[in-house]
Amino acid sequence: DITDVLKDKFPTIFKKVGSDFFKIQNDGFFNVKMFGAKGDGVTNDSSAFQNAVDFCELFSVKTLMIPYGNFLLNEPVIFNRGGVKIQGHGGFGREESWIGYSTATYPDKFPLGTTNTYLGCTITVPKNSTAFVYSESVVDPVNIDGINFIAKDGRTVGNTNAIDFHATFSGPIWNFVIKNCYFRGFNR
C-alpha cells in the first residue's frame, strides 16, 4: 500500500480519499528537519537529506530549506533529476567574519542564551566523501544558496568533495547556480 511507503519515508503530507491521494497544502517549502535531520554536528543526517531530496524530486517540490545548524553527511546525497533549489540559512561570506567571536569576548553579538560563534547553515563532510552528487541523469537546473561546506578533517590527502557533478544532459542549456556559499578544506 502506497500510504505505508509514504508514511515510513516522508513526512505526512498526503491524504487518501477513496482511491485518490491529495497533497496537503503547505507554504511550498520543505525543511530537511521535517525528514528527521538533526543539525547537531554529531548525528549522521545523510538519510534524512536523501529522503528529503528524493521526495522533492518525486513530487516536483522546487525548494528544500536547510535551517541553521551543522549537518553531518557521512554518505553522499544523490540527486537524480535536479530542479530542487537547496536554500540554506546563511553562508559565511568570509571566514574572518566569525573567527574569534565568542559570547565572552563579544557578548553583544549573540542572541540571548546563544553560545555558538556562528549561527548559519553548515554541511560537514568527512574524509573521502562528498556532500551532494548530481548524477548523470540530472536534467533540471541546479541551484544551491547560503550554505557553508566544511571538510570535517580539513585539507588532507584524499578525495573529499562538497559537490560532484556527473550530469551529461545534451538538451537545452539549464541553469547552474551556486551562490552565497563558502567552502573550506576541500582539495578540489
Side-chain angles (χ1 to χ4, degrees):
D1 180 46
I2 193 154
T3 24
D4 292 334
V5 173
L6 291 173
K7 180 180 68 179
D8 290 343
K9 190 166 184 179
F10 304 119
T12 306
I13 60 159
F14 286 89
K15 182 174 183 175
K16 185 175 183 182
V17 177
S19 61
D20 296 322
F21 287 88
F22 294 91
K23 189 174 180 181
I24 296 173
Q25 294 299 316
N26 67 1
D27 61 4
F29 299 98
F30 288 84
N31 182 313
V32 292
K33 288 193 172 184
M34 293 171 64
F35 295 83
K38 300 290 184 209
D40 60 10
V42 177
T43 303
N44 179 6
D45 288 319
S46 299
S47 64
F49 267 73
Q50 188 65 62
N51 286 342
V53 167
D54 290 348
F55 178 86
C56 290
E57 288 184 335
L58 181 64
F59 294 105
S60 298
V61 174
K62 297 300 178 193
T63 303
L64 177 60
M65 303 298 291
I66 315 296
Y68 296 113
N70 184 353
F71 299 90
L72 176 62
L73 299 182
N74 286 335
E75 293 86 33
V77 176
I78 310 297
F79 291 77
N80 290 303
R81 191 179 103 195
V84 179
K85 179 179 183 178
I86 305 300
Q87 179 63 59
H89 278 236
F92 293 135
R94 45 178 244 174
E95 199 168 12
E96 295 82 13
S97 63
W98 65 273
I99 288 180
Y101 277 72
S102 72
T103 53
T105 55
Y106 297 96
D108 59 320
K109 302 283 184 197
F110 298 92
L112 186 60
T114 302
T115 58
N116 295 332
T117 56
Y118 176 73
L119 294 177
C121 170
T122 300
I123 291 180
T124 301
V125 185
K127 185 176 179 178
N128 294 323
S129 190
T130 301
F132 297 153
V133 175
Y134 288 84
S135 69
E136 291 180 6
S137 59
V138 168
V139 296
D140 289 331
V142 171
N143 193 323
I144 302 171
D145 187 3
I147 298 176
N148 304 304
F149 292 91
I150 306 295
K152 182 177 181 181
D153 300 314
R155 190 176 301 250
T156 61
V157 175
N159 191 19
T160 306
N161 304 295
I163 306 165
D164 204 354
F165 297 94
H166 298 276
T168 58
F169 183 61
S170 61
I173 297 173
W174 41 274
N175 294 334
F176 179 94
V177 179
I178 298 175
K179 63 181 185 175
N180 303 317
C181 291
Y182 174 82
F183 303 85
R184 185 180 78 200
F186 296 97
N187 295 321
R188 62 178 183 119

